[in-house]
């Protein structure tokens, strides 16, 4: 028997080739493990922790947001109910922080124009909203009968208008003075001034938007270098009939919408997310929800179906990336056999 080979039954193994093939197989194993870590890092979109802070910030540029985890949410045109339209904003980044008493959500998106005046026809305000429901996932079409949702809404004209934030275009001439029937009737969209810059709404489907009797939500929006950043803030506890309940053990579902005034977006014409995020109020995580809303409302027939399909594919890849033991073993053995065969030639 040669010192350069080992005889195992009728099989002769070249020692030098086997030693070099083993080194190459170890290198392949290490590279596969590095690739696994990289794939998981790239594809994992959640869960992310809801950062606990001493004081929940009201300002979009507060230092508390610097280390808060960020989710990037894709937006699409509203195509579920008339009037269809929107879609001028492709995505919004969202963050969340909490403490023992308050919770806050920050939204940031690109918008090259600041549309803050509605004092003439065809002038529309930039705006943003969060739709929330605790417990079960509601239909994305602003809830449904039996599945009410809570909507927090901010409008740039309420905070940054240099004229009447309720809209001078809704005034009517009068011999003594101009009249503003919206303000006279107490319409929450026609106030002469605002101090919380947000409205708290309930809805049970399109066309059912109702201004809540209680208004516990505050909002603050500021211009960034390339768009808007808006913070919504509220105490955990709220007394309204359909107010989102931030209670331990109750999972919260959230989705987002943006209106671009310069693109004539108003009412149903908006950019919105067809994919919910979930906020687990028990362990404090923010992550992508399942694409099926749990109520038989499939998203495959809308643009949101494409978004959900991409999300499902990403989650499948994440699962594969986190279950690689068999693949690693197969790759290592294959690398050894191929290397040994080539080295013996």
């Amino acid at each position: 028997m040669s010192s350069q080979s080992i005889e195992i039954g009728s099989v002769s193994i070249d020692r030098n080739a086997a030693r070099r093939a083993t080194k190459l197989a170890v290198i392949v194993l290490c590279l596969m493990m590095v690739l696994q870590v990289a794939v998981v890092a790239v594809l994992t979109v959640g869960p992310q922790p809801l950062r606990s802070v001493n004081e929940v910030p009201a300002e979009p540029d507060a230092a508390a947001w610097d280390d808060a985890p960020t989710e990037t949410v894709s937006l699409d045109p509203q195509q579920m109910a008339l009037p269809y339209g929107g879609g001028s904003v492709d995505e919004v980044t969202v963050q969340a922080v909490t403490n023992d008493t308050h919770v806050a959500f920050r939204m940031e998106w690109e918008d090259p124009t600041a549309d803050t005046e509605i004092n003439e026809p065809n002038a529309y305000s930039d705006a943003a909203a969060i739709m929330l429901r605790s417990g079960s996932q509601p239909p994305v079409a602003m809830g449904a009968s039996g599945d009410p949702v809570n909507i927090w809404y901010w409008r740039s004209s309420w905070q940054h208008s240099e004229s009447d934030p309720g809209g001078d275009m809704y005034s009517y001439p009068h011999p003594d003075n101009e009249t503003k029937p919206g303000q006279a009737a107490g319409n929450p969209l026609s106030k002469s001034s605002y101090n919380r810059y947000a409205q708290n709404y309930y809805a049970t489907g399109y066309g059912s938007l109702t201004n809540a009797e209680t208004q516990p939500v505050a909002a603050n929006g500021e211009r960034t270098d390339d768009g808007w950043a808006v913070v919504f803030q509220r105490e955990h506890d709220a007394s309204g009939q359909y107010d989102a309940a931030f209670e331990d053990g109750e999972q919260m579902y959230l989705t987002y919408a943006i209106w671009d005034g310069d693109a004539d977006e108003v009412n149903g014409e908006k950019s919105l997310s067809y994919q919910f995020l979930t906020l687990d109020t028990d362990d404090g995580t923010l992550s992508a929800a399942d694409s099926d809303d749990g109520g038989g409302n499939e998203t495959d027939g809308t643009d949101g179906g494409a978004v959900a399909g991409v999300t499902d594919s990403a989650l499948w890849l994440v699962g594969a990336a986190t279950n690689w033991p068999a693949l690693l073993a197969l790759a290592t053995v294959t690398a050894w056999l191929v290397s040994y065969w080539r080295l013996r030639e």
Side-chain angles (χ1 to χ4, degrees):
M1 179 176 64
S2 171
S3 62
Q4 299 300 318
S5 63
I6 300 175
E7 301 294 336
I8 301 178
S10 60
V11 179
S12 177
I13 298 180
D14 188 302
R15 287 185 174 183
N16 288 335
R19 184 167 52 250
R20 294 168 66 186
T22 300
K23 291 179 180 179
L24 290 173
V26 170
I27 293 173
V28 170
L29 176 62
C30 292
L31 290 175
M32 291 288 290
M33 294 177 69
V34 170
L35 178 61
Q36 176 193 13
V37 173
V39 170
V40 171
V42 170
L43 294 177
T44 300
V45 296
Q48 295 188 6
L50 178 70
R51 185 168 180 264
S52 180
V53 295
N54 292 329
E55 184 175 353
V56 170
E59 301 292 334
D61 58 354
W65 298 111
D66 292 345
D67 298 324
T70 300
E71 291 277 3
T72 299
V73 179
S74 297
L75 303 177
D76 294 281
Q78 191 280 120
Q79 298 291 337
M80 295 179 291
L82 294 173
Y84 303 136
S88 64
V89 180
D90 294 328
E91 62 183 25
V92 57
T93 59
V94 296
Q95 297 171 287
V97 294
T98 189
N99 61 15
D100 291 339
T101 59
H102 288 73
V103 64
F105 299 95
R106 183 181 187 273
M107 303 171 61
E108 183 173 351
W109 68 96
E110 294 184 6
D111 183 351
T113 60
D115 306 299
T116 62
E117 305 296 337
I118 56 172
N119 55 357
E120 61 183 18
N122 299 319
Y124 302 103
S125 174
D126 294 331
I130 303 177
M131 187 174 79
L132 313 91
R133 176 179 167 83
S134 56
S136 60
Q137 182 172 328
V140 74
M142 295 177 65
S145 178
D147 290 308
V149 294
N150 187 195
I151 296 173
W152 301 355
Y153 178 72
W154 169 87
R155 180 181 284 183
S156 64
S157 63
W158 294 342
Q159 184 173 358
H160 296 285
S161 175
E162 295 181 358
S163 56
D164 186 338
D168 288 335
M169 64 175 288
Y170 298 111
S171 62
Y172 295 88
H174 188 274
D176 297 325
N177 202 343
E178 63 180 8
T179 63
K180 297 185 177 181
Q183 291 182 11
N187 188 326
L189 300 181
S190 302
K191 294 181 179 180
S192 58
S193 63
Y194 293 82
N195 55 11
R196 297 177 69 87
Y197 310 128
Q199 289 292 310
N200 189 43
Y201 294 118
Y202 304 143
T204 55
Y206 275 114
S208 66
L209 191 68
T210 303
N211 189 257
E213 292 184 4
T214 58
Q215 293 293 320
V217 182
N220 187 6
E222 299 293 343
R223 288 294 291 177
T224 63
D225 291 339
D226 54 9
W228 288 103
V230 176
V231 170
F232 290 93
Q233 185 194 72
R234 205 203 76 183
E235 291 186 24
H236 288 183
D237 297 328
S239 59
Q241 182 180 9
Y242 300 131
D243 286 332
F246 296 91
E247 300 175 353
D248 290 345
E250 283 284 346
Q251 190 170 61
M252 183 74 65
Y253 290 88
L254 310 95
T255 190
Y256 303 85
I258 301 292
W259 288 260
D260 181 4
D262 188 61
D264 296 339
E265 293 178 358
V266 66
N267 298 327
E269 299 178 74
K270 57 190 174 183
S271 304
L272 81 161
S273 171
Y274 288 90
Q275 178 72 20
F276 282 90
L277 293 182
T278 58
L279 171 68
D280 192 320
T281 54
D282 187 27
D283 61 17
T285 57
L286 186 68
S287 58
D290 294 337
S291 59
D292 186 351
D293 65 11
N297 296 286
E298 301 292 338
T299 58
D300 293 342
T302 67
D303 289 340
V307 175
V310 172
T311 302
D312 289 343
S313 298
L315 293 176
W316 181 87
L317 288 173
V318 170
T322 54
N323 293 278
W324 276 15
L327 182 58
L328 288 174
L330 179 62
T332 303
V333 171
T334 302
W336 191 93
L337 291 173
V338 172
S339 300
Y340 177 78
W341 176 66
R342 295 297 299 270
L343 290 169
R344 285 197 62 186
E345 292 182 346

